[in-house]
Amino acid sequence: MSAQQALPRPQPARPGSSEHGGGAPIARVGGVPVSTLSLHALIRKMLEEAPLRRSLNERAALIFDCNGQGLSMNASDPAFRADLAQADLIHADGQIIVAASRWLGGPVIANRSSTTDMFMDSLKDAAAAGVSYYLLGGEETVNAQCARRITEIAPGLNVAGRRNGFWTRDEEDAVIDAISAAAPDVLWVGTGKPREQAFCVRNRDRIKAGWIVTCGGLFNYVTGDYPRAPMWMQEAGLEWLHRMATRPRQLAWRYLTTNPHALWLIWKHRHG
């Protein structure tokens, strides 16, 4: 029996579910419903459910992340809020989201499920189970290097296809056609908020895939172009500070404006 055959048959999440928890209880943080699934449980769900959905030609599930920037944009950008509401599951990419769930007294998020950890920690199990990935986003050199790197980490991993994150609206049909021809179990979309969420919602019914997962600058972290914070900073919820210090021109204004707004939103919505 193959590794994939050994996995139990999961029940796919209901597309468009308002719970956004993937079958787990949700924590309402700063006005956003976030799944309480642990990182390990989220990965297992992905590796079980994505190939099943894809093989049954079911509508792709949308998996979006939530961090301080996401809370702020959800409150201030109506278009982003409408797109985020279409997610089948929203997971806690930021440590502040996990900590807030513990302060609020409702369902508690098990731990942080950063998209980078979700991706990297899944590679060897995905290779063993025959789960295919498609990488969409980043600059061409970064995207290509990321694809090489992950097949070195997890020999046998099925990279069904890849494409950089730069295309015009007129080229979007060709991008979608290429993804659907590859028919990946998991499509990773890393073009940054709010573009990646808008792309996923706009095209979910045209893309043949099991799961569509937004991932921001993931590919740059895999290649080392963006350095990750030391583990103690990640665990303390200070990875944003490391990012701001290492990429001040790109990120300083974002964090200095969205972090205070996110904290205010957590307080404002503290009763759900």
Side-chain angles (χ1 to χ4, degrees):
M1 180 179 292
S2 70
Q4 186 169 343
Q5 289 172 329
L7 293 172
R9 182 183 178 91
Q11 295 298 316
R14 290 176 290 111
S17 167
S18 61
E19 292 186 347
H20 306 274
I26 61 168
R28 295 193 175 273
V29 179
V32 175
V34 184
S35 173
T36 57
L37 285 174
S38 68
L39 172 63
H40 175 78
L42 181 60
I43 291 172
R44 182 166 181 81
K45 180 177 177 64
M46 175 178 69
L47 298 183
E48 292 174 348
E49 185 179 290
L52 178 61
R53 276 184 174 271
R54 195 266 311 153
S55 66
L56 295 177
N57 290 316
E58 294 191 356
R59 191 186 198 201
L62 297 186
I63 314 300
F64 294 163
D65 66 276
C66 184
N67 53 22
Q69 181 194 19
L71 291 186
S72 179
M73 292 180 66
N74 183 67
S76 59
D77 183 337
F80 178 81
R81 181 165 60 250
D83 288 336
L84 192 66
Q86 295 301 308
D88 293 279
L89 185 149
I90 300 172
H91 66 98
D93 183 72
Q95 188 63 33
I96 185 62
I97 308 300
V98 178
S101 75
R102 296 169 182 166
W103 302 335
L104 299 175
V108 174
I109 299 169
N111 55 23
R112 180 188 180 204
S113 51
S114 80
T115 311
T116 302
D117 291 336
M118 179 181 169
F119 182 77
M120 296 299 291
D121 291 0
S122 73
L123 294 177
K124 292 182 179 179
D125 286 342
V131 178
S132 61
Y133 286 176
Y134 193 108
L135 313 182
L136 179 65
E139 296 180 356
E140 175 60 25
T141 54
V142 169
N143 188 286
Q145 186 180 352
C146 178
R148 289 194 298 269
R149 175 68 178 142
I150 62 178
T151 53
E152 292 170 356
I153 294 171
L157 178 68
N158 183 359
V159 178
R162 65 167 195 85
R163 193 198 190 285
N164 66 62
F166 298 89
W167 64 85
T168 66
R169 193 63 180 266
D170 290 339
E171 297 171 319
E172 189 161 286
D173 286 347
V175 172
I176 295 164
D177 289 344
I179 296 168
S180 294
D185 295 318
V186 183
L187 167 63
W188 299 88
V189 182
T191 57
K193 295 181 177 68
R195 185 186 176 207
E196 59 191 21
Q197 286 77 17
F199 171 85
C200 294
V201 171
R202 185 168 64 246
N203 297 304
R204 73 179 299 181
D205 291 324
R206 303 172 60 201
I207 293 174
K208 182 175 175 58
W211 271 29
I212 302 175
V213 185
T214 55
C215 59
L218 165 66
F219 307 134
N220 294 83
Y221 286 106
V222 174
T223 61
D225 290 283
Y226 296 169
R228 290 207 72 183
M231 187 55 67
W232 70 267
M233 294 188 78
Q234 295 182 43
E235 293 175 348
L238 295 174
E239 188 165 18
W240 66 271
L241 185 59
H242 182 271
R243 290 180 178 180
M244 187 173 71
T246 55
R247 300 173 58 213
R249 293 182 62 183
Q250 297 89 350
L251 298 178
W253 179 250
R254 167 184 144 182
Y255 285 122
L256 291 175
T257 55
T258 61
N259 279 6
H261 189 206
L263 289 171
W264 180 80
L265 290 166
I266 289 169
W267 175 254
K268 175 184 177 183
H269 293 277
R270 63 191 180 279
H271 299 304

